[in-house]
Amino acid sequence: MFDRLLLLSPVLLFLPLVIPVPPPGNASPAPCRLCCDDLEPQEGPPAPQMGDQKSVLNQIPEVRTFINMTILKGDKGNRGDRGTPGKSGEEGAPGSRGPMGPKGTKGQAGPPGDPFKTQDAAFSVGRRKSLHSVDYYQALVFDTEFVNLHGHFDMFKGKFYCYVPGIYFFNVNIHTWNFKETYLHIMRNDKEQAIVYAQPSERSIMQSQSLMLPLELNDEVWVRLYKRERENAVYSDDVDVYITFNRYLIKPTLE
C-alpha cells in the first residue's frame, strides 16, 4: 500500500483540490496514517494480506480536477480588420418638413443687364419734283429724307413697312397746280384710307390730310396719285420742298 501511495504522491502534489469519496457499501474508512508509521509497531488489527488489496484500492480517494479559467486568460488581442459593408436597407418614408431656417445674407449684385429697348418708329420725307397723272395709278415717291428711323420707309418704292405693330399718326402735305385737279389717296396695303383733294383753281394752294391708323406687322402705307380719268397733278420745284409725308408711332401694341 505504501508503494502505491508513493506512486500517486506526485499527482497529488500538482492537484489544487482533492475531494475524498467514501468507500462503497458500509465499510468503515481507514484511519489516516503517516508515511513513517510503518517503523513503529502497529496497533490494532493486522495489515491486510494480498487477498485484501482490492478492497484497499477501493478505499483510495477519488481525484477530480478543477481549473481556474481566470488564471489561464491571456492578454487582449489586436482589433481585427473592418468587415465589408452590408447591403442597403429599404428606403424609409419621407420625414415631416422641418421648420423654416433663418433668412440668408444678401447676395452680391449681378452683372449689368442690356439697356432698355424702346419701341419707336418715325419718318419724315419730302419731294422736290412735280408729278402728273398717267394711265395707271402711281405711288408718290420721295427724294428727300428728313427722318427715317431704322429705315422702315422705303425711299425707292415710296412705302412705309410696319415692323412695330401699333397705332400710328400720318400726315400728307401737297401743293396744287394752277387749273388742275389734285386727287390722291393715303393707302393701307391696297385699300384707300383717306383722300387728299383740291378742285381746279386759278391759284395754287397748300392742301393737307392727317389720320391715325392701327397697323399690324408688315402692313404697308403709301400715297397714290389717281390715274388719268381726270388730269391731276401735284406741284414742287428744286428750290423748295412742297410735298411731305410724315408718320410716327403713338402706341405700340406690345409694350
Side-chain angles (χ1 to χ4, degrees):
M1 178 178 177
F2 181 74
D3 295 334
R4 292 180 179 272
L5 291 174
L6 291 176
L7 293 173
L8 294 175
S9 59
V11 178
L12 296 176
L13 292 176
F14 289 96
L15 294 177
L17 180 63
V18 177
I19 302 175
V21 179
N26 296 324
S28 59
C32 183
R33 298 180 62 186
L34 297 177
C35 56
C36 59
D37 288 345
D38 291 341
L39 301 179
E40 300 177 358
Q42 296 183 355
E43 295 182 0
Q49 303 297 322
M50 294 298 294
D52 297 332
Q53 290 181 1
K54 184 176 181 181
S55 61
V56 173
L57 292 175
N58 291 334
Q59 297 179 8
I60 297 175
E62 182 180 356
V63 179
R64 295 184 182 181
T65 60
F66 175 80
I67 301 175
N68 189 351
M69 297 302 294
T70 59
I71 299 175
L72 301 178
K73 184 177 180 182
D75 296 334
K76 184 177 180 181
N78 297 328
R79 185 172 182 177
D81 297 334
R82 185 173 182 179
T84 57
K87 296 181 179 180
S88 301
E90 296 182 359
E91 184 177 356
S96 58
R97 185 174 182 179
M100 181 179 294
K103 185 177 180 180
T105 57
K106 185 177 180 180
Q108 297 179 353
D114 296 333
F116 178 71
K117 297 179 180 179
T118 58
Q119 299 188 72
D120 50 19
F123 72 83
S124 179
V125 293
R127 180 182 174 93
R128 295 179 182 272
K129 296 179 180 179
S130 300
L131 182 65
H132 293 266
S133 61
V134 291
D135 294 336
Y136 51 87
Y137 295 113
Q138 298 179 80
L140 195 60
V141 179
F142 298 86
D143 50 33
T144 303
E145 181 180 273
F146 300 110
V147 175
N148 189 8
L149 290 180
H150 313 300
H152 292 177
F153 186 85
D154 190 333
M155 297 291 292
F156 298 98
K157 296 182 178 180
K159 293 184 177 182
F160 162 72
Y161 294 91
C162 179
Y163 294 103
V164 182
I167 299 174
Y168 288 83
F169 174 82
F170 291 89
N171 168 260
V172 175
N173 297 295
I174 55 97
H175 190 277
T176 64
W177 198 295
N178 294 359
F179 304 106
K180 293 185 179 181
E181 190 176 35
T182 302
Y183 192 11
L184 302 97
H185 284 97
I186 299 176
M187 307 288 294
R188 177 186 178 187
N189 300 324
D190 294 328
K191 185 176 182 181
E192 299 91 349
Q193 301 296 312
I195 190 172
V196 184
Y197 180 77
Q199 292 181 342
S201 174
E202 295 181 357
R203 299 176 59 186
S204 61
I205 60 173
M206 295 292 299
Q207 192 77 326
S208 178
Q209 180 65 281
S210 301
L211 78 163
M212 289 189 294
L213 291 175
L215 300 183
E216 298 178 359
L217 185 65
N218 296 325
D219 274 352
E220 302 175 5
V221 179
W222 50 293
V223 180
R224 186 188 70 180
L225 184 65
Y226 203 79
K227 60 185 179 181
R228 186 180 291 171
E229 292 177 359
R230 311 172 186 181
E231 186 176 358
N232 69 92
V234 289
Y235 174 83
S236 190
D237 58 34
D238 297 335
V239 178
D240 297 312
V241 178
Y242 289 89
I243 305 170
T244 60
F245 186 26
N246 311 285
R247 180 235 53 176
Y248 57 85
L249 175 63
I250 296 177
K251 179 179 176 57
T253 301
L254 299 176
E255 294 188 90

